[in-house]
Amino acid sequence: MAEAVALARRGWYSASPNPRVGCVLVRDNQVVGEGWHRRAGEAHAEIEALRAAAINAGGAGATCYVTLEPCAHTGRTAPCAEALIAAGIVRVVYGMEDPNPQVAGQGLARLRAAGIEVTGPVAEEDCLALNPGFVQRMLKGRPRVTCKLAMSLDGRTAMASGESRWITGRRAREDVQRLRAASCAIVTGIDTVLLDKASLTVRREDWPEAPADEIRQPLRVVLDSRCRLPVDAPLLHQDGPVLLVHTAEASVPAYPTGVETLVLATNKVGQLDLAALLLELGRRGCNEVMVEAGAKLAGSFLRLGLLDKMVIYMAGKLLGSEARPLFDLPIQRMTGQLPLRIEDIRAVGDDFRITARLDKDG
């Protein structure tokens, strides 16, 4: 199963909105076929492995190790469970059950009904770690949300003027490109776009080792209540789709072809409803969403409990007390503090990357 997990990771940047899946076929203690799911619309991992096994006298009599329950429904491709049955697979060892309601145990039931021995879940935690966003979208209808921030040692993200380039070094910026490439969508606010002239694309110049055939640009979602984004903004003229989210009262300019606009409801205080936005992105097939925004929007996501993870790059610099904070959190007393659970700290070049989440039990 460890080999199947490693194969699934090869689709890290390309498989979405489908899950990342790996498969290994073994007969007489020898690997006869292996495969992974590359991208939506193409063959699933099991089919790739069966095709590879065809060179080695087929899959008859083999055991199939697969990270996710084989599908039993017809989508863009035919059911993998039926393909395994037809190939003569005698045993299936699966990593985790598919949370997709269209599958959810049906694939395993079909295999058992055909007389195939089914074992699992095996290495379930490793297999879950391949697709946390997909699992959350299937179970809750919304993607997993990661907030990316860069700060100085004194917890500042930009000067009072909004100037922020560059707080962190080259290696940290390269790491951010990987986060973007693994995301289905990047959410930001109009102020960030206007101040930084941000494009929010996966930049190959900042990631020289990017896999050329697997990178796709994420959907860039700009929260712009009043449609202040000018039609000549750099973000609108870069590769990749753009979704401009505004209120019903906004006057929408004639944006370039390919820019989609979306009217979103507001909350009680007239702000765009962030929870509704995430449900919309879930309906669009987004598994992983990254928030790259200023202190105000990042703070709103945090206060509403909508952040599943925070990735904070910390540079060995001091920006001073006049600079902007990490989050806009108007906390007045210690009793109002928000405890975090730090899951990982590691050096990235000259900077540190801190991975944390809100500790809801703290």
Side-chain angles (χ1 to χ4, degrees):
M1 187 61 74
E3 177 61 22
V5 169
L7 286 167
R9 290 196 183 105
R10 298 179 70 171
W12 195 262
Y13 301 113
S14 60
S16 182
N18 288 354
R20 305 165 181 122
V21 183
C23 179
V24 179
L25 302 180
V26 178
R27 183 174 56 234
D28 299 328
N29 295 319
Q30 298 291 324
V31 173
V32 296
E34 60 182 31
W36 71 93
H37 183 50
R38 289 172 169 80
R39 54 184 56 85
E42 296 188 10
H44 287 187
E46 299 94 320
I47 305 304
E48 286 286 317
L50 289 171
R51 288 173 179 172
I55 303 173
N56 300 300
T63 293
C64 170
Y65 295 86
V66 62
T67 58
L68 185 69
E69 172 188 358
C71 61
H73 69 289
T74 300
R76 294 186 183 182
T77 59
C80 291
E82 297 298 336
L84 294 173
I85 294 168
I89 297 296
V90 296
R91 182 176 178 232
V92 171
V93 181
Y94 70 95
M96 61 172 286
E97 187 173 308
D98 194 331
N100 186 342
Q102 292 182 298
V103 184
Q106 297 178 49
L108 302 178
R110 180 68 189 93
L111 294 171
R112 292 189 177 103
I116 294 176
E117 179 185 350
V118 176
T119 303
V122 172
E124 187 174 26
E125 286 191 10
D126 291 337
C127 295
L128 279 167
L130 291 168
N131 298 293
F134 174 79
V135 172
Q136 179 156 298
R137 180 167 67 88
M138 290 296 109
L139 296 179
K140 297 182 180 180
R142 69 174 184 86
R144 188 178 73 149
V145 182
T146 297
C147 186
K148 188 280 296 182
L149 302 126
M151 70 176 189
S152 60
L153 194 59
D154 52 350
R156 304 294 172 162
T157 62
M159 304 310 294
S161 64
E163 180 187 359
S164 62
R165 294 189 177 185
W166 294 101
I167 293 175
T168 54
R170 181 187 62 82
R171 290 287 300 279
R173 295 197 297 274
E174 180 178 317
D175 201 58
V176 170
Q177 303 310 305
R178 296 188 184 93
L179 290 179
R180 287 180 178 177
S183 301
C184 303
I186 298 174
V187 176
T188 193
I190 182 59
D191 289 336
T192 296
V193 175
L194 295 177
L195 283 171
D196 294 345
K197 295 182 172 55
S199 61
L200 301 175
T201 54
V202 180
R203 299 192 298 268
R204 295 188 182 278
E205 62 269 25
D206 284 337
W207 187 13
E209 298 176 358
D213 61 339
E214 295 180 4
I215 296 302
R216 50 164 176 67
Q217 294 294 345
L219 172 68
R220 290 161 296 159
V221 182
V222 181
L223 304 188
D224 185 8
S225 299
R226 293 173 287 159
C227 288
R228 291 188 288 143
L229 186 65
V231 296
D232 60 349
L235 178 139
L236 301 179
H237 301 277
Q238 302 286 335
D239 290 339
V242 174
L243 177 64
L244 189 68
V245 183
H246 59 90
T247 62
E249 294 78 18
S251 177
V252 183
Y255 288 116
T257 303
V259 176
E260 183 183 358
T261 58
L262 172 70
V263 175
L264 193 68
T266 56
N267 58 22
K268 294 179 180 179
V269 294
Q271 298 170 329
L272 291 170
D273 190 330
L274 300 182
L277 172 67
L278 294 181
L279 290 174
E280 173 62 25
L281 293 177
R283 284 191 289 270
R284 291 169 177 250
C286 291
N287 296 330
E288 301 281 349
V289 166
M290 187 159 72
V291 175
E292 286 197 59
K296 185 175 181 180
L297 182 56
S300 294
F301 271 99
L302 182 59
R303 288 196 303 273
L304 292 170
L306 298 176
L307 294 185
D308 299 293
K309 186 171 73 170
M310 286 161 271
V311 177
I312 303 168
Y313 296 89
M314 184 175 67
K317 301 174 182 177
L318 300 174
L319 297 187
S321 59
E322 297 299 316
R324 299 183 179 189
L326 195 65
F327 291 102
D328 182 6
L329 293 173
I331 298 173
Q332 302 297 326
R333 298 178 180 275
M334 285 296 289
T335 53
Q337 64 184 288
L338 298 178
L340 302 181
R341 183 178 295 277
I342 296 177
E343 299 179 338
D344 182 71
I345 300 178
R346 66 184 62 196
V348 181
D350 294 329
D351 307 307
F352 284 92
R353 185 183 70 200
I354 304 168
T355 303
R357 63 178 174 82
L358 191 62
D359 188 353
K360 298 180 181 178
D361 298 322

